[in-house]
Structures are given as structure tokens and as C-alpha cells.
Amino acid sequence: MTIKNNLRAGIGSLFLLALISSAIATYYIYQLSENSKAILRNNETSIVYTKNINKVLDLPGLPNSDGLKTIEYNIKREEGDITETGEKALADSLYADFRRFRTSLSNPALAAALRTKMQKSSYGIMEVNMNAMENKNRNANKTANTAISIFIFITSLGSFIVFLFLIIFPGYITKPIIQLTKGVKEIANKNYDNRLSFTDKNEFWDLAEAFNQMAARLFVYENNNQAKITHEKLRVETIVRNVTDAIIGFDENGIVTFVNPVAVKLLGIDEKDIIGSSAQQAAADNDLFFKLINEFEHFDDLKLYLDGKESYFIRELFEIYAPEDVHLWGKNEDESKRIGYFIFLKNITRFHKLDEAKTNFIATISHELKTPISSLKMSLKLMEDKRYGTITNFQKELINNINEDSDRLLKITSELLDMGQVETGKLLLNFGNTHPQNIIKYACETIRFIAEQKEITLNLKCPKNLPDVWADPDKTAWVLINFLTNAIKYSSKKSVIDITVKKHSSAKIEFSVKDHGKGIEEIYLPRVFERYFKVPGSDFAVSGTGLGLAIAKDFIEAQGGEIGVESKIGEGSRFYFTLPVSLI
Ligand code: ADP
């Protein structure tokens, strides 16, 4: 039976019982009241009449006319109130005797006999009614007892139903709910085998059916998903295992969860030993691992040996964040949760080889170009010599142009050569103690001519009392010359260039060149030291290869110094570098 019908039956039967009991109560109360009314009406009045008759007959002497009237009146009333068997005969006899008694008052003996007979009849009527009253009273008692029994029965039945309701019904409702809750918890724990079965075919039975269907579908869905995920995982793992790059995976707590074969080879460790250990632990036992997880800022190409061959790698870090709509991790929903990260060592050996080939090619070409350019310059010098004939003004102008272009070409080739030296690691530095003034003087002498051409004033500040620097004077002068030529290039005519040398710290001296030219946009500042970079929109006629500052950076850093730039568009630029103070 359904719960709805159960509730209907329970409450309905209680309602029916209440209805029946009130009907029975009304019926019995009516019965009892009718009985008592009948007693009053049928018997009580007869007793009163006979009582009145006997009152007159019991008086001494013969009754007077009033007494006779009373007797007659009451006999007549009694005649009209015959209710019991035998009562009529007695009443008739009483009346017959009264009529004789009334006429025989002169005969005392007869009158006395009749009076006694009348008294007897009257008492007889009284007795018949009294007996009837007693019988009716007994019947009323019986009726009351029956009513009480019925009430007790109905109340017991009602109580029993209520009792059953109280004892059975809560269990009837809660048992399936508990079972259902258990089932749902099992589903939450991904146990889809659990099924619900209820014996009663009620609403819970339907619910169990629906639940079982859901569990079965979830089971199929989960299995399909699982298969898909396993397939995808295998696919990704195969890719990751076969790439020539090294991959190391970490969970959100920095525990190593994954290393691919290339990473295992590079790190020279056993996969089993590293999986499950923390990044710090692994770093303590392995220098390369330490480098990989600690040197995040400046990370040059890594030269490592893979399968006995020289290989080059760059390090990249990928962080993995939980998708925003997934809150499986039970954390604050607002947090975008990092669930792990990967360190990726990209194998760039192929590119490195190409780069090397390019550098060698450039070095060879620039080296080969230097000799013909020098002989070109030599020939130009000879052409200018008056001993070999006079030249026209037009020819002189042409020679000047060729001379300028040869200088430019020579500058470019020597920059390319320097670049090649830096890239191939063949940069040779001649360190020595040098006073900053020597470097400054040499650089200023070199660029004086081009500065004069633009009427630019060089404002030099280099105190004599500065300590020596430990540096290669030629390479440092080259950097300064590069700063100065750029400053002149990008300054307007008749402007001022400040050349300042000062103590940067107790161990470093700072050289700087400040112009008041066009300046560099902030977004390009971090890129000006990159190879071949030229600020977009640079004047093609004045800009060079875009290698000058890149070479300068390499020269300075190779000497243990730092290089930098500050600039504001429209206000000018300040290029600077530091060099270590000589300790000797
Ligand atoms: P380039 O040979 O082209 O001058 P550099 O490496 O010396 O190459 O400089 C790179 C770029 O930086 C230049 O092309 C130029 O756009 C910018 N630059 C360098 N110095 C200055 C300066 N003093 N003022 C404005 N721009 C500059």
C-alpha cells in the first residue's frame, strides 16, 4: 500500500471510530433519557393517583363528598394512564368498587368491605407500576453497561490504531530514507554496485527503482569515462615519454609525480628514487635538479650530455591551475587553485647547431670582408694622393662618399666579428688595472670628430681620485664609444652629452653617458640590449645593425659588471655600466 493510502487508512479509521462512537453515544443517551421519561410518564403518575386515593381511604370514618370527588377524580386519571399488564383489570375493579361504595355509604359493613377491596386494588396498581419501574430501571442499567462496554471497545480499538501508527509508521517512513541516504553516500564514494530493494510497493519502491536506474547509468557512464581517461592518459604518457625534451611534474605540494626518460637520463637518477620525494629533497641530492628549481630568473641555455652527445636545453615552467568551475578540492571557491606544475627542459640542440653554423658563417664572411675593405680604403688613400695625379672636386666628393661607406662597412663587419666571438665563446679579455680616466679619454678622442660635426658639447665628469678598475680597457672603451656614438646619433645639433664616472658602491665604479635626445619608449627599454633589436621607427639612415648594445652587454657582463638604461621619451637616455674596482 502506498504511503498516501496508509496515511489515509490510519487517519480515516480514527475518524470513522470517532464518528461511530459519537453516534452510539447519542443513541444510548437518547435511549436512557427516553426510558426515564417513560417511567415518569407511565408509572410515576399512576403511583401518585393511587397514593391520592389511598390517602382519602386511609382516613378514619367515611369519606365526605370532597373525599369521594378526589377518589373519583384520581380513578378516572388512572383509567387514562394504563401502561402495564394487569393494571387495567385492577383499575376497572377499583372503579366498579368505588361506584358501589358511593351508593352504600348508609351500609357501614358493606362500605367497610368495599373500602378494603378498593384499598387492595389501589395498592395493587401501585405495586404493578413500582415493579414496572424497577424493571425499566434494570433495563436502563443494562443499556448503560452495554454503552460503556461499546465505548471501552471503541476506545481500545482507537488506542490500538494510534499505537500501531506511532510504533510502525515512523519506522515505515525512516527505514527507507536511511537506506536511501546510505545508497547516496555509496554513490558519492563512487561505489555504483549498491542497489536498493524495498518489499512494500509504495512511493519508496518507485524511488528505489529510480535510484537503481541512476546507479546503473552512473556505473556505465563512469566506466566509459574511465576508459576514455585511461586511453587519453596513455596517449599523453606515450607522447611525453617519447619526446626529446625533459619533463618533470610536481603536485601542488612540490612532490615529484612524474619524470620522463629524457629527464631521468639528464638528471642521472633512478625514476623510482625521485618519484614521491619533495623538490627540496631531490635538489639536495642532485645539482642539476637544484639548478632547475632554484634559478628562476636568469637561466641561460643549459649545456648537458645526453647519450654521450653535447645537447642544449632551455628551461620553462608551466603551472597548472584547477578549472574555475571545478571545486573538487574542497577549498575556498574564490581561490584559483594551483594543482601542480611542470619543469620543461626543451631540447634546443638542433637550433643551437643552426645558430652556431650561422655564427661561423657570419664570422667567416666578416673576416673575409675585412681584407677587401681595408684594401679599398688603401686604394682610396692613394687616389687622394696628389702625387698620383689631380682629381676633380666631383671625384673628391665621390671618394669621400666611398670612404664613409667603407667606414660603415668596416664597423659593421667588426661588430659582426665581435658578435661571433661572443657567441662562440671565443671572447678574449685582457684584464688589467686601468684608471677610468684613461678609458674615458680614449673613447672621447675617438668620437670627438663626429661630435664636433654636430656641434655637440661633451660634458665630462671623472674625478681623479677614483680607484682603478679591473677590466679590459679596449673592450670597455668599445662599449663607451658605442654609447657615445648612439648618444650623438640620437641627439639634436648643439646639444650636450654628459659623461660621468662615479663610485657606484665600494666595489664598483659606474660609467654613464646621458644625452638629451629623443629618448626611448618605456616598452622597448628591456629589449634594447637584445641582438639585432632596433627601436621601431628608428631613422634608417642613422641606425646600424642593432648589435652594438648586445655586444656591449656581453663585454660588460664578461668583465663582471652590469649594464643598464634609463630613458624618458622627449627627455633623453642615460646608458650606464659598472665595473669592479681593482683589488690589486
Ligand atoms: P644600432 O647599431 O642600431 O645603433 P644598438 O644596439 O647600438 O644598435 O642600439 C639598438 C637600438 O637602441 C637602436 O637602434 C636605437 O633605436 C636605440 N638606441 C640606442 N641608443 C640610443 C639613444 N641614445 N637614444 C635613443 N635610442 C637609442
PDB file of all heavy atoms in Angstrom, residues 9 110 149 151 168 178 223 231 266 278 315 335 393 407 445 447 482 487 551:
ATOM      1  N   ALA A   9      -5.725   5.558   5.380  1.00  0.00           N
ATOM      2  CA  ALA A   9      -6.378   4.477   6.122  1.00  0.00           C
ATOM      3  C   ALA A   9      -6.290   4.730   7.619  1.00  0.00           C
ATOM      4  O   ALA A   9      -7.274   4.595   8.352  1.00  0.00           O
ATOM      5  CB  ALA A   9      -5.730   3.144   5.765  1.00  0.00           C
ATOM      6  N   LEU A 110     -70.996  -3.022  54.529  1.00  0.00           N
ATOM      7  CA  LEU A 110     -70.665  -3.172  53.104  1.00  0.00           C
ATOM      8  C   LEU A 110     -69.644  -2.146  52.689  1.00  0.00           C
ATOM      9  O   LEU A 110     -68.670  -2.449  51.977  1.00  0.00           O
ATOM     10  CB  LEU A 110     -71.938  -3.017  52.233  1.00  0.00           C
ATOM     11  CG  LEU A 110     -71.757  -3.235  50.719  1.00  0.00           C
ATOM     12  CD1 LEU A 110     -71.323  -4.679  50.389  1.00  0.00           C
ATOM     13  CD2 LEU A 110     -73.035  -2.907  49.973  1.00  0.00           C
ATOM     14  N   SER A 149     -19.514  -0.695  27.633  1.00  0.00           N
ATOM     15  CA  SER A 149     -18.688  -1.739  27.009  1.00  0.00           C
ATOM     16  C   SER A 149     -18.304  -1.337  25.584  1.00  0.00           C
ATOM     17  O   SER A 149     -17.143  -1.482  25.165  1.00  0.00           O
ATOM     18  CB  SER A 149     -19.433  -3.067  26.941  1.00  0.00           C
ATOM     19  OG  SER A 149     -19.831  -3.422  28.216  1.00  0.00           O
ATOM     20  N   PHE A 151     -18.140   1.631  24.384  1.00  0.00           N
ATOM     21  CA  PHE A 151     -17.150   2.725  24.424  1.00  0.00           C
ATOM     22  C   PHE A 151     -15.750   2.216  24.727  1.00  0.00           C
ATOM     23  O   PHE A 151     -14.772   2.644  24.126  1.00  0.00           O
ATOM     24  CB  PHE A 151     -17.547   3.796  25.447  1.00  0.00           C
ATOM     25  CG  PHE A 151     -18.575   4.723  24.881  1.00  0.00           C
ATOM     26  CD1 PHE A 151     -19.753   4.993  25.553  1.00  0.00           C
ATOM     27  CD2 PHE A 151     -18.342   5.332  23.638  1.00  0.00           C
ATOM     28  CE1 PHE A 151     -20.698   5.839  25.007  1.00  0.00           C
ATOM     29  CE2 PHE A 151     -19.294   6.180  23.102  1.00  0.00           C
ATOM     30  CZ  PHE A 151     -20.475   6.435  23.778  1.00  0.00           C
ATOM     31  N   ILE A 168       4.649   1.842  14.293  1.00  0.00           N
ATOM     32  CA  ILE A 168       5.040   1.325  12.971  1.00  0.00           C
ATOM     33  C   ILE A 168       5.339   2.431  11.966  1.00  0.00           C
ATOM     34  O   ILE A 168       6.312   2.371  11.233  1.00  0.00           O
ATOM     35  CB  ILE A 168       3.938   0.389  12.412  1.00  0.00           C
ATOM     36  CG1 ILE A 168       3.829  -0.822  13.333  1.00  0.00           C
ATOM     37  CG2 ILE A 168       4.251  -0.052  10.991  1.00  0.00           C
ATOM     38  CD1 ILE A 168       2.633  -1.681  13.071  1.00  0.00           C
ATOM     39  N   ILE A 178      16.692   6.042   5.507  1.00  0.00           N
ATOM     40  CA  ILE A 178      18.058   5.708   5.955  1.00  0.00           C
ATOM     41  C   ILE A 178      18.777   4.893   4.874  1.00  0.00           C
ATOM     42  O   ILE A 178      19.928   5.159   4.531  1.00  0.00           O
ATOM     43  CB  ILE A 178      18.003   4.929   7.286  1.00  0.00           C
ATOM     44  CG1 ILE A 178      17.549   5.873   8.407  1.00  0.00           C
ATOM     45  CG2 ILE A 178      19.360   4.328   7.643  1.00  0.00           C
ATOM     46  CD1 ILE A 178      17.174   5.198   9.690  1.00  0.00           C
ATOM     47  N   ASN A 223      32.359   4.007 -16.203  1.00  0.00           N
ATOM     48  CA  ASN A 223      33.225   3.049 -16.884  1.00  0.00           C
ATOM     49  C   ASN A 223      33.672   3.589 -18.230  1.00  0.00           C
ATOM     50  O   ASN A 223      34.843   3.476 -18.587  1.00  0.00           O
ATOM     51  CB  ASN A 223      32.480   1.729 -17.078  1.00  0.00           C
ATOM     52  CG  ASN A 223      32.722   0.847 -15.878  1.00  0.00           C
ATOM     53  OD1 ASN A 223      33.336   1.278 -14.906  1.00  0.00           O
ATOM     54  ND2 ASN A 223      32.246  -0.361 -15.935  1.00  0.00           N
ATOM     55  N   HIS A 231      42.560   5.931 -21.703  1.00  0.00           N
ATOM     56  CA  HIS A 231      43.038   5.996 -23.077  1.00  0.00           C
ATOM     57  C   HIS A 231      43.825   7.287 -23.302  1.00  0.00           C
ATOM     58  O   HIS A 231      44.953   7.268 -23.810  1.00  0.00           O
ATOM     59  CB  HIS A 231      41.815   5.942 -24.006  1.00  0.00           C
ATOM     60  CG  HIS A 231      42.163   6.020 -25.445  1.00  0.00           C
ATOM     61  ND1 HIS A 231      42.566   4.930 -26.149  1.00  0.00           N
ATOM     62  CD2 HIS A 231      42.192   7.068 -26.290  1.00  0.00           C
ATOM     63  CE1 HIS A 231      42.829   5.315 -27.384  1.00  0.00           C
ATOM     64  NE2 HIS A 231      42.607   6.599 -27.506  1.00  0.00           N
ATOM     65  N   LEU A 266      69.064  12.839 -18.064  1.00  0.00           N
ATOM     66  CA  LEU A 266      69.781  14.089 -17.801  1.00  0.00           C
ATOM     67  C   LEU A 266      70.151  14.229 -16.334  1.00  0.00           C
ATOM     68  O   LEU A 266      71.240  14.660 -15.996  1.00  0.00           O
ATOM     69  CB  LEU A 266      68.922  15.290 -18.218  1.00  0.00           C
ATOM     70  CG  LEU A 266      68.793  15.548 -19.709  1.00  0.00           C
ATOM     71  CD1 LEU A 266      67.914  16.743 -19.950  1.00  0.00           C
ATOM     72  CD2 LEU A 266      70.168  15.799 -20.329  1.00  0.00           C
ATOM     73  N   SER A 278      60.170  15.175  -2.254  1.00  0.00           N
ATOM     74  CA  SER A 278      59.864  16.594  -2.437  1.00  0.00           C
ATOM     75  C   SER A 278      60.951  17.236  -3.292  1.00  0.00           C
ATOM     76  O   SER A 278      62.066  16.718  -3.399  1.00  0.00           O
ATOM     77  CB  SER A 278      59.803  17.285  -1.078  1.00  0.00           C
ATOM     78  OG  SER A 278      61.103  17.429  -0.587  1.00  0.00           O
ATOM     79  N   ARG A 315      65.076  26.048 -20.031  1.00  0.00           N
ATOM     80  CA  ARG A 315      64.133  25.618 -19.019  1.00  0.00           C
ATOM     81  C   ARG A 315      62.872  26.480 -19.078  1.00  0.00           C
ATOM     82  O   ARG A 315      62.927  27.705 -19.176  1.00  0.00           O
ATOM     83  CB  ARG A 315      64.775  25.755 -17.638  1.00  0.00           C
ATOM     84  CG  ARG A 315      64.161  24.849 -16.609  1.00  0.00           C
ATOM     85  CD  ARG A 315      63.320  25.513 -15.581  1.00  0.00           C
ATOM     86  NE  ARG A 315      63.578  26.915 -15.403  1.00  0.00           N
ATOM     87  CZ  ARG A 315      63.995  27.419 -14.277  1.00  0.00           C
ATOM     88  NH1 ARG A 315      64.278  26.626 -13.274  1.00  0.00           N
ATOM     89  NH2 ARG A 315      64.121  28.717 -14.137  1.00  0.00           N
ATOM     90  N   GLU A 335      39.416  30.965  -4.578  1.00  0.00           N
ATOM     91  CA  GLU A 335      40.817  30.722  -4.872  1.00  0.00           C
ATOM     92  C   GLU A 335      40.964  30.043  -6.207  1.00  0.00           C
ATOM     93  O   GLU A 335      40.311  29.039  -6.465  1.00  0.00           O
ATOM     94  CB  GLU A 335      41.359  29.751  -3.830  1.00  0.00           C
ATOM     95  CG  GLU A 335      42.111  30.416  -2.723  1.00  0.00           C
ATOM     96  CD  GLU A 335      42.574  29.384  -1.724  1.00  0.00           C
ATOM     97  OE1 GLU A 335      43.185  28.385  -2.124  1.00  0.00           O
ATOM     98  OE2 GLU A 335      42.274  29.590  -0.547  1.00  0.00           O
ATOM     99  N   ASN A 393      86.808  68.082 -58.228  1.00  0.00           N
ATOM    100  CA  ASN A 393      86.001  68.199 -56.988  1.00  0.00           C
ATOM    101  C   ASN A 393      84.935  67.122 -56.903  1.00  0.00           C
ATOM    102  O   ASN A 393      84.656  66.573 -55.835  1.00  0.00           O
ATOM    103  CB  ASN A 393      85.319  69.573 -56.934  1.00  0.00           C
ATOM    104  CG  ASN A 393      86.270  70.599 -56.375  1.00  0.00           C
ATOM    105  OD1 ASN A 393      87.311  70.245 -55.807  1.00  0.00           O
ATOM    106  ND2 ASN A 393      85.943  71.862 -56.564  1.00  0.00           N
ATOM    107  N   ASP A 407      83.899  52.956 -44.191  1.00  0.00           N
ATOM    108  CA  ASP A 407      83.994  53.009 -42.717  1.00  0.00           C
ATOM    109  C   ASP A 407      82.801  52.290 -42.089  1.00  0.00           C
ATOM    110  O   ASP A 407      82.941  51.534 -41.113  1.00  0.00           O
ATOM    111  CB  ASP A 407      84.024  54.471 -42.231  1.00  0.00           C
ATOM    112  CG  ASP A 407      85.427  55.063 -42.382  1.00  0.00           C
ATOM    113  OD1 ASP A 407      86.366  54.257 -42.560  1.00  0.00           O
ATOM    114  OD2 ASP A 407      85.556  56.305 -42.347  1.00  0.00           O
ATOM    115  N   GLU A 445      88.279  60.832 -27.415  1.00  0.00           N
ATOM    116  CA  GLU A 445      89.132  61.173 -28.560  1.00  0.00           C
ATOM    117  C   GLU A 445      88.560  60.564 -29.840  1.00  0.00           C
ATOM    118  O   GLU A 445      88.491  61.208 -30.883  1.00  0.00           O
ATOM    119  CB  GLU A 445      90.567  60.654 -28.337  1.00  0.00           C
ATOM    120  CG  GLU A 445      91.441  61.584 -27.505  1.00  0.00           C
ATOM    121  CD  GLU A 445      91.367  63.024 -27.976  1.00  0.00           C
ATOM    122  OE1 GLU A 445      91.518  63.271 -29.189  1.00  0.00           O
ATOM    123  OE2 GLU A 445      91.090  63.905 -27.123  1.00  0.00           O
ATOM    124  N   ILE A 447      85.520  59.719 -30.616  1.00  0.00           N
ATOM    125  CA  ILE A 447      84.251  60.219 -31.171  1.00  0.00           C
ATOM    126  C   ILE A 447      84.230  61.752 -31.292  1.00  0.00           C
ATOM    127  O   ILE A 447      83.228  62.324 -31.719  1.00  0.00           O
ATOM    128  CB  ILE A 447      83.029  59.740 -30.325  1.00  0.00           C
ATOM    129  CG1 ILE A 447      83.191  60.059 -28.836  1.00  0.00           C
ATOM    130  CG2 ILE A 447      82.791  58.262 -30.518  1.00  0.00           C
ATOM    131  CD1 ILE A 447      82.631  61.325 -28.452  1.00  0.00           C
ATOM    132  N   ASN A 482      80.477  53.003 -28.183  1.00  0.00           N
ATOM    133  CA  ASN A 482      79.154  52.645 -28.696  1.00  0.00           C
ATOM    134  C   ASN A 482      78.058  53.499 -28.069  1.00  0.00           C
ATOM    135  O   ASN A 482      77.185  54.031 -28.769  1.00  0.00           O
ATOM    136  CB  ASN A 482      78.910  51.166 -28.402  1.00  0.00           C
ATOM    137  CG  ASN A 482      77.816  50.621 -29.276  1.00  0.00           C
ATOM    138  OD1 ASN A 482      76.655  50.799 -28.963  1.00  0.00           O
ATOM    139  ND2 ASN A 482      78.194  50.046 -30.413  1.00  0.00           N
ATOM    140  N   ALA A 487      74.537  58.134 -28.583  1.00  0.00           N
ATOM    141  CA  ALA A 487      74.082  59.395 -27.974  1.00  0.00           C
ATOM    142  C   ALA A 487      74.165  60.526 -29.004  1.00  0.00           C
ATOM    143  O   ALA A 487      73.242  61.343 -29.123  1.00  0.00           O
ATOM    144  CB  ALA A 487      74.918  59.718 -26.743  1.00  0.00           C
ATOM    145  N   ILE A 551      76.380  43.517 -27.966  1.00  0.00           N
ATOM    146  CA  ILE A 551      77.805  43.194 -27.767  1.00  0.00           C
ATOM    147  C   ILE A 551      78.311  43.876 -26.495  1.00  0.00           C
ATOM    148  O   ILE A 551      79.030  43.285 -25.691  1.00  0.00           O
ATOM    149  CB  ILE A 551      78.645  43.631 -28.997  1.00  0.00           C
ATOM    150  CG1 ILE A 551      78.191  42.821 -30.234  1.00  0.00           C
ATOM    151  CG2 ILE A 551      80.124  43.424 -28.746  1.00  0.00           C
ATOM    152  CD1 ILE A 551      78.761  43.339 -31.542  1.00  0.00           C
TER     153      ILE A 551
END
